[in-house]
Amino acid sequence: MSYADINAQDKRGLTLQEALELGIANSKNLKIDDAKIIEATAAIDEAKNRQLPDLKVSGSYLRLTNANINLKTGQQSSGEDGQSQGSSAAPKVNQAMYGIANFSLPLFAGGRIKYGIQSAKYLLDAAKLSAGSDKNEIAYNISQAYVNLFKVSQVVNVLKENLGASQKERRGFSQQRKQWNYCT
């Protein structure tokens, strides 16, 4: 086996339909276009969500351990040891809790919501048209490459035929020259 017999790749026939399917399935541009379509669809959903009411609730709880807080409340009489002798004892404050609820409903946004939804729909349509255009362009480029490959194969066949014909002519000329030399 010589090096000429070893091929780096196997030869495989490929029809135009197979070439188109492979080219479209593996096109990076079409994958980018698909991502743009998904992004535009998400933008429509986001624009529609802006017209919905919004509710936010938050809260907090704080607890202090062994806090020494001296609150001055009402009248207090102090005894010998400095403790209050009043009828009511100071409240023990060692925890605090609060909560906040916020509700908003867009009543009028100056058309931003309505026109935002329409704009997002137009962007989705543009992304789909761009993807279709890119798909057509890729299909056209693949078919042109396929046609060019066919043309090149035909040129190679013509060159092989011409080479064979010229080798036959050369043999014929060399035989004529031998006969000419023999006769002289």
Side-chain angles (χ1 to χ4, degrees):
M1 180 185 283
S2 67
Y3 285 109
D5 294 334
I6 298 174
N7 292 326
Q9 298 174 348
D10 293 331
K11 293 181 182 178
R12 178 180 172 215
L14 191 64
T15 65
L16 178 60
Q17 185 63 30
E18 290 173 336
L20 288 172
E21 289 172 1
L22 286 172
I24 289 172
N26 296 315
S27 172
K28 292 178 184 175
N29 289 339
L30 290 180
K31 290 178 183 177
I32 290 171
D33 288 341
D34 289 342
K36 287 180 182 178
I37 289 172
I38 291 170
E39 179 183 0
T41 304
I44 290 174
D45 293 340
E46 182 181 353
K48 287 180 179 178
N49 286 339
R50 285 191 206 115
Q51 65 188 358
L52 299 174
D54 188 25
L55 176 66
K56 295 178 185 175
V57 177
S58 65
S60 181
Y61 175 77
L62 176 67
R63 180 174 174 85
L64 302 172
T65 58
N66 298 329
N68 186 9
I69 299 173
N70 187 7
L71 294 176
K72 308 284 185 191
T73 58
Q75 293 179 332
Q76 295 180 353
S77 60
S78 81
E80 300 172 353
D81 58 354
Q83 295 289 334
S84 64
Q85 300 289 332
S87 62
S88 67
K92 200 171 192 182
V93 179
N94 63 355
Q95 59 186 354
M97 180 175 24
Y98 69 90
I100 298 173
N102 184 10
F103 179 78
S104 64
L105 176 65
L107 296 176
F108 180 73
R112 286 186 297 171
I113 295 172
K114 176 183 172 185
Y115 296 125
I117 294 170
Q118 285 180 350
S119 174
K121 286 180 182 178
Y122 290 142
L123 288 174
L124 176 63
D125 291 343
K128 286 180 180 178
L129 289 173
S130 176
S133 173
D134 287 349
K135 186 175 182 179
N136 289 339
E137 184 177 336
I138 288 169
Y140 177 76
N141 287 339
I142 290 171
S143 63
Q144 287 300 106
Y146 196 82
V147 167
N148 289 338
L149 184 62
F150 177 75
K151 287 179 183 178
V152 167
S153 69
Q154 293 302 316
V155 167
V156 167
N157 290 339
V158 168
L159 289 175
K160 283 181 181 178
E161 288 175 8
N162 288 344
L163 180 64
S166 66
Q167 287 175 348
K168 284 181 183 178
E169 285 180 22
R170 192 188 76 187
R171 280 189 230 125
F173 286 138
S174 67
Q175 285 178 357
Q176 285 178 356
R177 195 172 74 196
K178 285 180 186 178
Q179 288 177 357
W180 183 258
N181 288 339
Y182 181 71
C183 291
T184 55

